[in-house]
Amino acid sequence: MDKFDIDSEYKRVHSQYPKSLTSPVIGITANYRDGNAAVAEAYYASVLRAGGTPLIIPPYSNRNALFETLRHIDALLLTGGADIDPRYMGEEPDYALLHSINPKRDEQELLLARLAVDMNIPILGICRGMQTLSAALGGGVHQDIYAALGDGLLAHDQEPVERHVATHGVNVVKDSLLWKIFGSETLAVNSFHHQAVSRLPKGFVLSATSPDGVYEAMEAVDGRSIMAVQWHPESFILNEDRCMIPLFEWLVGEATLYRRSREIHSQIITLDSHCDTPMLFAQGYEMYERSETALVDLHKMHEGGLDVSTMVAYLKQGARDADSLSQATRNADALLQGIADRVERCGGEAVLCSTPAEVDTAKQLGKKIVMRGIENGYAIGRDLTNIERWRKQGVVYMTLCHNGNNDICDSARGNGEHGGLSLFGKEVVREMNRIGMLIDLSHAAESTFWQVLELSEHPVVCSHSSCKALCNHPRNLTDEQLRAIASKGGVVQVTMYSGFLREEGEATLDDFMSHLQHAISVAGIDHVGIGTDFDGDGAVIGCSSASQLLNITRELLRRGYNTGDIEKIWSANWLRVMRSVQG
């Protein structure tokens, strides 16, 4: 062995610093037996060969330490080992079938996997790791494939054949992520298991099977960077066989994007200009609780790296007699107060803001931020003083109408009653200009749109709209409208409502990104942002709640946008218009 020169190595390491910091950290779960934690060399050797920095995670039950570990890794590698205890899936164990179970490891890794999914951390599961993911996320696991599937199975445990030797093939699903990684419909793999996934978790698809039908790989199809394989791809590298390194390169690549996205979110303000979460107040929603139904809460904002959620007091268009209008105003007051109350009950972790300066300060203090808007000018009735009253209370914008005409203007879903703005509507526009409230033209008819742009002395916004050129919906904006808003210094916030993104089928994150990029190409990078419409039916596959908003930044990075552009899209454009309008 060559002599190890500590002085030379010390100087060499420091000469590369901080370049060494660019390698993402891959957390690797450790096996546990006889009171000791251990991990096979092949796992961390494969991570190193793929360009990652391995970090071993021993089995422990301290919940705070689990969270802290997840905050400091960029991807998670769930390794092979002992059987999954079927009791964690609500099944009675058959100990004649089970080889060995380890509750200490099961309990940690099941929780670790679910928390990592919540935090959008890229995950690769290997053998037991595939079964762990299935069990953690609501899937199933065969206690023993030979007992469950009968005769005729391949030998899925190749002992004593060496671990780096492939003993059977798997069939890869065409166009799956696994297929894209390897570019092949068949792979030669090794095999060391008698348990296997029996039922896929929700949001996953099968990406490979062995010839006997055993599930050999699965992957997430809802925007999460999660893949799992039943074989042991790490073993090949110890024989200097790189055939499986593409899997680890995929993991390291996703970890790099995840790390960079988190860094960007820590440096910039991320702002969603429209969510309808107050619609859930009647169901007992509290912002500080992790909700099973709401798409926006304090926990999901942290997980998705969202700083500012703009919650709106939404009013369905109703009758326009005096009593109905008075009730609409009272309903808006109640919702606006309800937003403030729920922020107050967050115990200082969230604050209400109504100006860009307040947002800047809150971001520096590490607070989550709520701004308030009103969706549907129906709320003011015929009383202009409500506009100033609400602005003084902190309301930052008002959407002039919703799905139906009101006393202010015609809606995109209306009958053209006013021919655009009514006489009262023109007074509303002037008053909103005077007191510094953003005019929101989402939902407005084209006639209303053009008249407001001509009348308003300030830039206008569309808080949640998409592009008509890509989806011919009356609520969407034409390219001419996109250019017009930009020419007046305004901003269009692209939304995630599926029906505005594609005419048929359920929309995906790619559909949303197509609209976002189209808006940028037409209006310019300085005039486009994001308004999800979460909890108002806004959500897409790949970004289904505030917890997945980090995925937008990852996609922007994939498409070559720089940090400055990403900051403009996430908040700078919207905040610039706020400053201009508020004076």
Side-chain angles (χ1 to χ4, degrees):
M1 182 178 70
D2 294 335
K3 182 180 178 182
F4 179 75
D5 187 336
I6 180 62
D7 292 331
S8 296
E9 284 299 304
Y10 179 78
K11 291 177 182 178
R12 186 180 68 82
V13 169
H14 271 284
S15 71
Q16 294 179 344
Y17 194 84
K19 182 180 178 181
S20 59
L21 295 179
T22 62
S23 175
V25 176
I26 314 298
I28 304 174
T29 58
N31 206 344
Y32 184 75
R33 65 167 67 92
D34 300 327
N36 295 305
V39 66
E41 178 187 2
Y43 290 111
Y44 55 84
S46 295
V47 167
L48 286 165
R49 190 66 62 93
T53 298
L55 175 70
I56 309 303
I57 306 173
Y60 54 77
S61 58
N62 185 292
R63 291 349 185 206
N64 289 336
L66 280 180
F67 269 113
E68 197 65 19
T69 298
L70 289 172
R71 286 198 325 111
H72 287 86
I73 65 172
D74 306 306
L76 178 64
L77 176 55
L78 296 167
T79 61
D83 290 352
I84 295 285
D85 190 331
R87 287 176 294 184
Y88 293 108
M89 291 167 284
E91 299 177 12
E92 286 298 319
D94 186 338
Y95 291 107
L97 302 177
L98 298 173
H99 292 184
S100 61
I101 54 176
N102 190 322
K104 187 166 186 176
R105 186 176 183 193
D106 281 348
E107 290 172 9
Q108 185 215 36
E109 291 189 9
L110 291 169
L111 182 57
L112 195 69
R114 189 174 290 187
L115 292 173
V117 169
D118 285 344
M119 297 171 68
N120 300 290
I121 296 173
I123 303 173
L124 174 61
I126 291 177
C127 197
R128 169 198 157 90
M130 179 170 169
Q131 298 151 26
T132 299
L133 278 169
S134 184
L137 303 178
V141 175
H142 292 302
Q143 294 191 41
D144 180 84
I145 55 175
Y146 301 101
L149 301 177
D151 298 331
L153 294 185
L154 297 173
H156 285 278
D157 190 341
Q158 65 188 55
E159 296 287 358
V161 178
E162 291 183 279
R163 298 181 74 84
H164 63 264
V165 176
T167 57
H168 71 82
V170 297
N171 301 314
V172 180
V173 175
K174 195 174 189 314
D175 294 325
S176 65
L177 176 58
L178 189 67
W179 180 83
K180 292 172 184 176
I181 288 172
F182 287 101
S184 175
E185 293 184 31
T186 59
L187 292 173
V189 303
N190 54 10
S191 197
F192 300 90
H193 69 98
H194 76 104
Q195 288 190 323
V197 170
S198 61
R199 184 181 70 256
L200 297 177
K202 183 180 178 181
F204 282 76
V205 295
L206 197 62
S207 48
T209 57
S210 55
D212 55 11
V214 171
Y215 291 0
E216 291 282 351
M218 66 181 190
E219 57 195 50
V221 290
D222 56 2
R224 296 174 292 186
S225 297
I226 307 175
M227 176 182 292
V229 299
Q230 189 57 62
W231 65 92
H232 279 267
E234 80 287 352
S235 298
F236 293 86
I237 198 62
L238 294 184
N239 196 44
E240 289 303 317
D241 184 345
R242 291 181 52 88
C243 67
M244 291 293 161
I245 288 299
L247 264 182
F248 298 92
E249 290 175 336
W250 168 81
L251 184 65
V252 170
E254 292 300 302
T256 301
L257 280 174
Y258 175 75
R259 178 176 188 159
R260 182 64 186 132
S261 298
R262 286 197 311 176
E263 289 172 348
I264 289 173
H265 279 230
S266 71
Q267 296 162 4
I268 70 171
I269 293 167
T270 51
L271 182 152
D272 175 6
S273 61
H274 190 94
C275 83
D276 281 298
T277 308
M279 291 174 65
L280 303 176
F281 286 179
Q283 301 174 24
Y285 170 88
E286 288 291 348
M287 187 177 175
Y288 65 81
E289 294 178 343
R290 184 174 187 84
S291 173
E292 295 297 319
T293 54
L295 304 186
V296 181
D297 58 39
L298 202 58
H299 302 271
K300 296 182 181 74
M301 289 178 72
H302 279 291
E303 291 159 2
L306 177 64
D307 293 314
V308 185
S309 177
T310 309
M311 295 188 178
V312 298
Y314 158 71
L315 298 177
K316 182 179 180 180
Q317 185 59 47
R320 287 153 59 184
D321 58 88
D323 288 344
S324 297
L325 293 173
S326 295
Q327 185 60 52
T329 301
R330 289 193 293 272
N331 291 344
D333 281 329
L335 287 168
L336 292 170
Q337 185 59 50
I339 296 170
D341 291 343
R342 282 159 179 80
V343 171
E344 179 68 24
R345 290 197 285 269
C346 286
E349 290 189 56
V351 293
L352 279 178
C353 293
S354 62
T355 69
E358 291 172 353
V359 169
D360 288 341
T361 299
K363 169 72 175 183
Q364 292 169 15
L365 293 173
K367 307 287 187 181
K368 292 303 177 187
I369 300 156
V370 173
M371 295 199 295
R372 291 179 294 174
I374 293 172
E375 186 172 22
N376 197 355
Y378 178 55
I380 68 170
R382 298 190 182 99
D383 187 352
L384 288 176
T385 64
N386 284 323
I387 299 173
E388 183 170 15
R389 176 170 68 87
W390 282 329
R391 177 67 199 113
K392 286 181 177 179
Q393 290 177 8
V395 173
V396 298
Y397 74 77
M398 183 171 73
T399 316
L400 294 187
C401 60
H402 194 252
N403 291 336
N405 302 335
N406 57 24
D407 286 317
I408 296 172
C409 65
D410 290 336
S411 162
R413 305 301 294 268
N415 58 11
E417 153 186 7
H418 304 294
L421 282 171
S422 67
L423 291 176
F424 176 66
K426 292 177 181 179
E427 293 182 53
V428 169
V429 169
R430 294 188 186 101
E431 180 66 2
M432 292 177 74
N433 278 177
R434 185 186 72 82
I435 56 91
M437 184 183 287
L438 293 172
I439 298 171
D440 177 19
L441 291 176
S442 290
H443 289 284
E446 277 203 56
S447 54
T448 301
F449 177 93
W450 292 114
Q451 289 173 23
V452 171
L453 248 66
E454 182 178 356
L455 180 61
S456 178
E457 297 176 356
H458 295 309
V460 300
V461 302
C462 286
S463 68
H464 59 302
S465 295
S466 292
C467 304
K468 204 163 190 174
L470 302 186
C471 179
N472 187 20
H473 190 286
R475 263 280 280 113
N476 283 346
L477 300 172
T478 66
D479 287 358
E480 187 180 7
Q481 288 175 296
L482 291 169
R483 283 189 285 267
I485 286 183
S487 71
K488 287 211 66 169
V491 62
V492 173
Q493 304 287 104
V494 177
T495 194
M496 291 189 177
Y497 181 71
S498 191
F500 302 158
L501 297 176
R502 59 188 305 164
E503 294 176 27
E504 294 182 2
E506 191 173 0
T508 67
L509 182 57
D510 280 342
D511 293 318
F512 168 79
M513 295 301 299
S514 294
H515 280 257
L516 188 68
Q517 290 190 280
H518 180 82
I520 291 169
S521 69
V522 174
I525 191 68
D526 296 315
H527 302 284
V528 177
I530 297 165
T532 64
D533 205 14
F534 282 153
D535 292 317
D537 290 330
V540 297
I541 297 172
C543 194
S544 59
S545 76
S547 69
Q548 288 194 299
L549 286 172
L550 199 73
N551 288 347
I552 296 175
T553 303
R554 289 161 71 174
E555 290 305 312
L556 289 168
L557 288 170
R558 285 188 215 274
R559 288 161 169 77
Y561 289 87
N562 60 38
T563 302
D565 290 340
I566 293 171
E567 181 176 20
K568 288 179 180 181
I569 294 165
W570 264 121
S571 66
N573 294 336
W574 180 269
L575 294 174
R576 183 199 72 243
V577 177
M578 280 184 66
R579 290 187 187 94
S580 173
V581 171
Q582 292 180 1

